Amino acid sequence: MAKRKKKIDLSAKILFALIAGALLGVVIHYYVPEGYFRDTILIGGIFYVVGQGFIRLMQMLVVPLVFCSLVCGSMSIGDTKTLGKVGIKTVIFYLFTTALAICIALGVASLINPGIGISLEAVEASEVTVAESTSFADTLLNIIPKNPIASMANGDMLPIIVFALFVGILLAKMGSKASTVSNFFSQFNDLMMEMTMAIMVVAPIGVFCLIAKTFSEIGFSAFLPMLKYMGAVILALVIQCFGSYQVLLFIFTRLNPVRFIKKFFPVMMFAFTTATSNATIPMSIDTLEKKIGVSKKISSFTIPLGATINMDGTSIMQGVAVIFIAQAYGINLTPSDLLTVIATATIASIGTAGVPSVGLVTLSMVLTSVGLPTEGIALIMGIDRILDMLRTAVNITGDAVCTTVVAHQNQLLDRSTFAKN
């Protein structure tokens, strides 16, 4: 009981830190004069170091956590036939929701027309990082690691996932002959979960500094010319998160979507404040097990996988951004162009790292596929941090819904846990 109370307290602290950080940032932006103290000591010093320090602490855990979670997940499922069924269902569900998200984004953007009437001079441009275009054949080959240790060092998640699945399946097959190695991975996985929970104790401080830095730099001035674009992205995110996902959840499991959102909301809020899907992996697995009733056998496999290949929120941003940039530059997109956007953004979402603002880099691939200028990314970079936080919350909600559906289909969902208040 005390443990549950502590978690509620942490969520409340994070929310309070979020609001306080935003208010302080706005005050600093408008009322503290520019100079060494404001720009170097406060924004570029304290806020930057503490905020990025917290993000780095979370990123430190990502590779060992994802690797051990997937090894333990595939090992606990055991039977390769069952694992294959779970894996195929999970990937199909993730790809379907990603394609659906892009369609919603394109539909909403076409109705709102965010780029019509935009003054390019009114929007502050930023430096653009362009992603190298990779062929579909190379994308498939890059899934197989040439050197698993190098993949871990570089944080290449898809090769890590493949290697982890191999290790877990073979450990399950070897049984008692590899019990020492199996126990090592199980205990190391528990260690990483505990380490994450320990780091989350300082989450309110990290969140406060991240938000304060963002608002002290941009204030409200960056939002005004971009309100239609922001509105289109937010509307599409809301439809996907509270509409599409919840309809799918109810159709496949008959669970109450409102209760699901209520129970999973602290994880959504944590994802919103950190803007990194990978950081939420332990909290997602823990919440799904203790509040929703999903077995760790499923969640320890599907959640780390989702953090890598299921980027619905990011795909929504890319869909709206394509329409926005095309309209801003006066370029007409044909129906075949829109189909290309859906296909390219779905493929681009696979293997996208679950770290802040990575969607902007992969957006350049989507723009190039339909001949739009990549310089258009500079138009939306100024406000991307806020939208990045929102789409991360959507990303991890999609992972949780998929995990719950797959758990239900494999009789690994405890409905009595979900029914508890």
Side-chain angles (χ1 to χ4, degrees):
M1 189 74 181
K3 194 173 180 183
R4 185 185 295 175
K5 187 171 184 290
K6 186 179 176 184
K7 281 192 181 177
I8 293 169
D9 287 346
L10 179 62
S11 299
K13 284 177 186 174
I14 290 173
L15 181 60
F16 177 76
L18 175 69
I19 296 166
L23 290 173
L24 179 63
V26 169
V27 169
I28 289 171
H29 182 80
Y30 290 106
Y31 299 106
V32 177
E34 291 182 21
Y36 180 78
F37 174 74
R38 191 194 86 161
D39 299 331
T40 307
I41 295 179
L42 265 186
I43 300 173
I46 296 169
F47 293 160
Y48 176 74
V49 171
V50 176
Q52 288 303 310
F54 171 67
I55 291 291
R56 287 193 178 208
L57 280 173
M58 300 305 292
Q59 289 173 337
M60 172 183 75
L61 306 174
V62 168
V63 170
L65 181 66
V66 169
F67 183 73
C68 290
S69 291
L70 282 169
V71 168
C72 293
S74 52
M75 190 168 62
S76 62
I77 292 173
D79 178 27
T80 50
K81 195 174 177 184
T82 307
L83 181 66
K85 283 181 183 175
V86 170
I88 289 167
K89 283 179 186 175
T90 304
V91 171
I92 289 172
F93 193 96
Y94 283 153
L95 290 177
F96 170 74
T97 56
T98 301
L100 179 63
I102 302 161
C103 292
I104 289 170
L106 293 173
V108 168
S110 298
L111 285 173
I112 293 178
N113 295 319
I116 291 178
I118 188 81
S119 170
L120 298 183
E121 291 77 25
V123 185
E124 185 182 347
S126 308
E127 192 178 335
V128 180
T129 304
V130 179
E132 289 182 22
S133 185
T134 308
S135 70
F136 184 67
D138 286 335
T139 302
L140 288 176
L141 285 173
N142 289 339
I143 293 172
I144 304 168
K146 288 189 283 188
N147 182 342
I149 308 302
S151 296
M152 290 181 187
N154 296 327
D156 297 332
M157 298 313 295
L158 279 179
I160 292 170
I161 286 171
V162 170
F163 186 63
L165 292 177
F166 261 113
V167 173
I169 291 165
L170 292 175
L171 283 174
K173 189 179 178 185
M174 292 171 73
S176 58
K177 285 194 289 183
S179 59
T180 305
V181 181
S182 300
N183 290 336
F184 167 78
F185 277 116
S186 296
Q187 290 167 2
F188 196 76
N189 189 45
D190 291 340
L191 171 66
M192 297 313 296
M193 294 285 189
E194 285 297 318
M195 194 180 292
T196 307
M197 295 306 171
I199 289 171
M200 280 177 62
V201 172
V202 300
I205 300 168
V207 165
F208 175 82
C209 290
L210 284 168
I211 300 300
K213 181 178 184 294
T214 298
F215 276 90
S216 58
E217 285 179 332
I218 64 175
F220 291 120
S221 57
F223 297 120
L224 296 176
M226 303 293 288
L227 282 178
K228 279 175 76 178
Y229 168 75
M230 288 182 69
V233 174
I234 292 168
L235 179 58
L237 289 171
V238 168
I239 291 170
Q240 180 76 355
C241 189
F242 299 105
S244 304
Y245 288 153
Q246 305 318 314
V247 169
L248 290 169
L249 179 74
F250 182 76
I251 288 171
F252 285 106
T253 67
R254 289 295 188 268
L255 294 177
N256 184 334
V258 176
R259 182 182 284 265
F260 179 88
I261 290 290
K262 214 176 192 179
K263 286 173 174 278
F264 199 69
F265 189 72
V267 188
M268 294 167 69
M269 192 172 69
F270 183 69
F272 174 77
T273 51
T274 58
T276 164
S277 303
N278 288 328
T280 65
I281 289 172
M283 196 176 179
S284 290
I285 293 172
D286 192 57
T287 302
L288 284 166
E289 182 191 25
K290 293 176 181 173
K291 292 186 179 180
I292 293 170
V294 174
S295 169
K296 269 192 179 178
K297 279 186 177 184
I298 297 295
S299 61
S300 59
F301 172 77
T302 56
I303 292 295
L305 187 64
T308 303
I309 71 169
N310 189 42
M311 297 286 173
D312 296 351
T314 304
S315 299
I316 283 172
M317 177 276 290
Q318 292 174 345
V320 175
V322 164
I323 300 291
F324 170 75
I325 291 167
Q327 290 176 346
Y329 282 93
I331 299 169
N332 290 321
L333 295 176
T334 64
S336 64
D337 287 334
L338 297 180
L339 287 173
T340 304
V341 168
I342 293 169
T344 310
T346 303
I347 293 167
S349 72
I350 301 171
T352 299
V355 295
S357 290
V358 73
L360 283 178
V361 179
T362 55
L363 174 58
S364 61
M365 290 168 56
V366 181
L367 294 176
T368 304
S369 71
V370 288
L372 290 175
T374 53
E375 291 78 16
I377 298 172
L379 303 178
I380 60 176
M381 285 184 77
I383 57 156
D384 187 67
R385 173 70 190 180
I386 303 299
L387 295 176
D388 192 24
M389 294 157 71
L390 287 166
R391 61 181 183 254
T392 304
V394 172
N395 288 342
I396 59 102
T397 306
D399 298 346
V401 169
C402 175
T403 299
T404 308
V405 168
V406 172
H408 168 73
Q409 292 181 339
N410 287 273
Q411 285 80 49
L412 289 169
L413 177 65
D414 183 358
R415 289 176 174 273
S416 61
T417 302
F418 183 79
K420 289 177 189 171
N421 289 319

